Amino acid sequence: MRRTFVLALTAAILGITAVCGAAEEPPKLQKSLHMVPMRDGTRLSTVVYRPADQKGPLPVIFIRGPYGKLPQQAAAGMCARGYVVVSQDVRGRFDSEGNDAIVFHNGGWSERRDGHDSLNWITEQEWSDDNIASWGGSALGITQNMQAVDAPPALKAQWVMVAFSDMYSQGSYQGGALRQSLMKTWLKKHKFDPRSLETFLAHPKYDKFWEEVNPEARAADVHAPGIYFGGWYDIFLQGTLNSFETIHNHGSDGARGNCRLIVGPYAHGGFTELTYPDNSAIPNAPQAGDALRFFDHLTKGIDNGVENDQPVHYYVMGDPEDNTAPGNFWRSADNWPPPSQLTPFYFHQNHQLSQAPPTTDGSLEYQYDPENPVPTVGGQNLFLDRGPKDQRKIESRDDVLLFTTDTLTEPVEVSGRIRATLFVSSDCPDTDFTVKLSDVYPDGRSMLVTDGILRARHRIGFDREDFLKPGEVYELTVDLWSTSLIFNRGHKIRIAVSSSNTPRFDTNPNTGSPIRSDDKTRVATNKLYLSPTRASHVTLPIFTAPATTGK
């Protein structure tokens, strides 16, 4: 969500410094400041950069966010390509009027409305030719996703980087559990009105409040195609994938069938424990992620081959420390997810993970103490250590159940969405279940690939609460989001099941009371069932196309 990250990663990964940095010979720009009125009378501070040497109306690149307006140097490359750049502070931020009491929601005054009003204002200006593209990442991508729904027809294209498509499930309450570190730290760091956090905490269930900030549910009303750029370890990975999937396949005329997806081995910032090869920095078809090339085609009608690009470019990760290992290449495809065989890997009483289901009854149990939760080690974080980190220091805990395959004799590629099906019981009315997928290296390192959580009271739906009865067995599904990784021969696949991952997620007190309503906690005895009729397992999407496709 940080502006510096967005600018740096855009330049480093896509190699289009003209978009986010100065052009080699910066053009002379005309700069003007405006207070743009919204329909309720609130005025938003907006800067306009125009190339001084180009006459007549031009297409516009529109950027809006909560971090301050784009500096002139960053706009220079866009202007050099024949665009007017318009950058705006969202409501209640910096020089804009109003308040930021509920970020991205604005006290019921949706970012979508403000975005639409601003787009309409742009079309009324003499320097605009009524062709607008939007650009930006993280928070600047989120505002794009919001305004894209039912946008004015002048919006012709989008370049959306690392942004959620549904604030509840991806930004605030993943699996029904608060993304504690992300939300609390981000709001405090950027000095948002404290009422933002208070309001989010007051809505732990998915309700009408969250419907207002769920553009994914209205993908059919998006007409402007976009390039959606993300990372396998990014905080909003699933939002990037969902934006592409829903809009490319189910969007309105114009967007449907015309979107692009690019996903690489990146996080929302850097990570250190694994270093992917240099080829991870630039896709095998870098033009597919070139925002200005995409905009030139859609706002200027330039025939530059955009319509012939394959829609999807994703990096298939592998062991980056073994030069002979399969993986670590870019693959192009016509859609996401790629073809795969959904393959269950079952958990066994002896802690084995295998494709053979259990043949005898079994179970394993552990005690989860909210006063001593499992600490976060890596993953899709922003302010905590992020990315693929070695899990061994927490895998030895008594409240973590491990299930590991035999040493692989052949590589196994997992590309797509990952879900775990658990059969569980608890002696408490509510508790959490966490699941981690790791790649175990020959030297014993257990490198985190992806993880998920489910708050048991939301096992039937995030819009309701259904509490557990002591001793009763329940089936529930934990969403681990997605990845693309080849587990190399000599490695092992590991699943870790527990009930906490803190401070990535807030700890469940196990009491069944409204979360954060008091300081009371209970120790939960949680049981995982491993039998022929209650076969807990993880379902891995095993890639089915030839391994050389698109390499």
Side-chain angles (χ1 to χ4, degrees):
M1 291 180 173
R2 292 168 295 179
R3 179 169 162 232
T4 53
F5 160 75
V6 174
L7 297 178
L9 191 58
T10 300
I13 293 173
L14 296 183
I16 49 173
T17 54
V19 171
C20 55
E24 291 184 6
E25 296 182 5
K28 293 182 179 180
L29 303 183
Q30 296 179 11
K31 176 183 177 181
S32 57
L33 293 172
H34 308 263
M35 295 300 291
V36 177
M38 301 294 102
R39 66 188 70 178
D40 68 337
T42 301
R43 299 181 304 163
L44 305 188
S45 181
T46 306
V47 63
V48 176
Y49 300 109
R50 298 167 55 194
D53 60 348
Q54 298 194 40
K55 305 298 182 181
L58 296 172
V60 174
I61 295 177
F62 181 43
I63 304 160
R64 63 191 315 268
Y67 300 137
K69 292 180 284 294
L70 198 70
Q72 182 166 322
Q73 182 183 18
M78 303 179 193
C79 291
R81 288 278 291 267
Y83 289 92
V84 174
V85 176
V86 177
S87 181
Q88 183 180 81
D89 295 328
V90 297
R91 184 176 290 242
R93 300 295 290 176
F94 294 88
D95 299 323
S96 286
E97 296 175 348
N99 66 70
D100 60 354
I102 311 176
V103 62
F104 299 127
H105 198 286
N106 288 323
W109 196 262
S110 168
E111 289 291 349
R112 184 169 66 254
R113 296 185 194 77
D114 284 354
H116 292 181
D117 290 353
S118 300
L119 289 166
N120 285 328
W121 177 83
I122 290 172
T123 63
E124 296 169 356
Q125 308 310 304
E126 50 86 19
W127 37 258
S128 168
D129 72 357
D130 294 350
N131 290 287
I132 304 172
S134 60
W135 179 90
S138 199
L140 285 68
I142 292 167
T143 57
Q144 290 184 77
N145 285 340
M146 299 290 187
Q147 73 185 14
V149 176
D150 277 334
L155 183 63
K156 298 297 197 303
Q158 307 174 81
W159 192 88
V160 182
M161 182 180 181
V162 292
F164 63 65
S165 60
D166 170 20
M167 189 171 182
Y168 178 83
S169 67
Q170 298 152 13
S172 301
Y173 285 93
Q174 185 175 340
L178 179 72
R179 296 192 68 173
Q180 177 177 307
S181 173
L182 176 63
M183 291 305 300
K184 289 186 175 181
T185 309
W186 183 70
L187 290 169
K188 182 178 181 180
K189 179 180 177 66
H190 293 289
K191 300 180 180 179
F192 284 95
D193 190 310
R195 286 175 291 177
S196 275
L197 181 59
E198 294 169 6
T199 304
F200 297 151
L201 296 181
H203 291 269
K205 295 185 292 185
Y206 184 84
D207 54 18
K208 290 185 177 180
F209 172 84
W210 294 111
E211 287 179 11
E212 187 77 10
V213 281
N214 182 7
E216 181 184 320
R218 297 193 59 187
D221 298 321
V222 175
H223 68 77
I227 295 176
Y228 299 95
F229 187 97
W232 294 125
Y233 304 109
D234 182 64
I235 56 174
F236 300 136
L237 163 66
Q238 202 56 51
T240 297
L241 297 172
N242 288 5
S243 288
F244 172 81
E245 283 189 69
T246 55
I247 298 171
H248 185 73
N249 295 300
H250 308 291
S252 183
D253 292 345
R256 188 172 60 252
N258 294 313
C259 295
R260 302 289 182 267
L261 174 68
I262 298 175
V263 187
Y266 320 126
H268 220 88
F271 54 85
T272 58
E273 290 198 19
L274 288 179
T275 301
Y276 287 95
D278 291 343
N279 74 336
S280 65
I282 302 176
N284 62 340
Q287 69 273 14
D290 186 335
L292 294 184
R293 176 174 172 269
F294 194 67
F295 294 169
D296 283 349
H297 178 69
L298 292 165
T299 66
K300 300 179 181 180
I302 296 176
D303 184 6
N304 54 13
V306 163
E307 68 276 14
N308 298 321
D309 293 341
Q310 281 191 278
V312 175
H313 305 272
Y314 64 100
Y315 193 81
V316 182
M317 298 180 291
D319 180 345
E321 300 172 349
D322 181 354
N323 292 333
T324 68
N328 298 319
F329 62 88
W330 288 92
R331 178 185 286 137
S332 300
D334 292 329
N335 215 326
W336 181 267
S340 64
Q341 179 68 43
L342 297 180
T343 305
F345 281 69
Y346 296 93
F347 312 157
H348 292 263
Q349 180 87 26
N350 64 355
H351 299 277
Q352 284 288 110
L353 180 67
S354 76
Q355 294 184 45
T359 57
T360 59
D361 287 347
S363 65
L364 294 170
E365 70 177 32
Y366 58 92
Q367 289 191 318
Y368 155 50
D369 182 356
E371 302 298 327
N372 182 29
V374 177
T376 298
V377 178
Q380 292 147 335
N381 302 312
L382 178 58
F383 301 104
L384 305 169
D385 285 343
R386 59 184 77 90
K389 294 187 71 69
D390 188 356
Q391 301 296 297
R392 284 179 294 181
K393 63 184 177 183
I394 57 174
E395 288 180 343
S396 60
R397 290 173 57 112
D398 292 338
D399 55 354
V400 178
L401 302 179
L402 300 183
F403 303 94
T404 310
T405 65
D406 292 334
T407 301
L408 299 177
T409 57
E410 296 293 335
V412 175
E413 179 181 335
V414 175
S415 290
R417 194 78 171 261
I418 300 165
R419 293 181 173 90
T421 301
L422 307 182
F423 292 87
V424 299
S425 65
S426 178
D427 62 353
C428 288
D430 187 37
T431 191
D432 289 347
F433 290 94
T434 63
V435 181
K436 293 181 177 180
L437 171 67
S438 292
D439 181 0
V440 181
Y441 280 59
D443 61 6
R445 284 174 296 158
S446 181
M447 305 305 294
L448 180 63
V449 178
T450 189
D451 67 79
I453 190 170
L454 181 67
R455 184 141 290 177
R457 69 173 71 187
H458 294 307
R459 68 190 181 280
I460 298 176
F462 296 118
D463 59 344
R464 54 186 288 181
E465 294 181 329
D466 295 272
F467 294 96
L468 306 175
K469 296 179 180 179
E472 187 167 327
V473 180
Y474 298 91
E475 178 181 355
L476 49 82
T477 301
V478 181
D479 183 1
L480 280 69
W481 288 10
S482 304
T483 194
S484 181
L485 172 70
I486 297 179
F487 293 84
N488 195 16
R489 63 176 63 86
H491 290 223
K492 299 176 183 178
I493 302 172
R494 175 171 292 167
I495 292 292
V497 177
S498 190
S499 289
S500 53
N501 184 355
T502 303
R504 173 161 159 71
F505 303 107
D506 69 333
T507 54
N508 193 325
N510 300 325
T511 61
S513 300
I515 300 295
R516 294 167 294 277
S517 62
D518 55 47
D519 295 328
K520 296 179 180 178
T521 63
R522 288 179 58 180
V523 176
T525 299
N526 294 335
K527 182 179 288 189
L528 182 67
Y529 292 82
L530 317 163
S531 67
T533 56
R534 294 167 173 166
S536 296
H537 61 276
V538 64
T539 301
L540 301 180
I542 306 300
F543 183 67
T544 57
T548 57
T549 298
K551 185 171 178 180

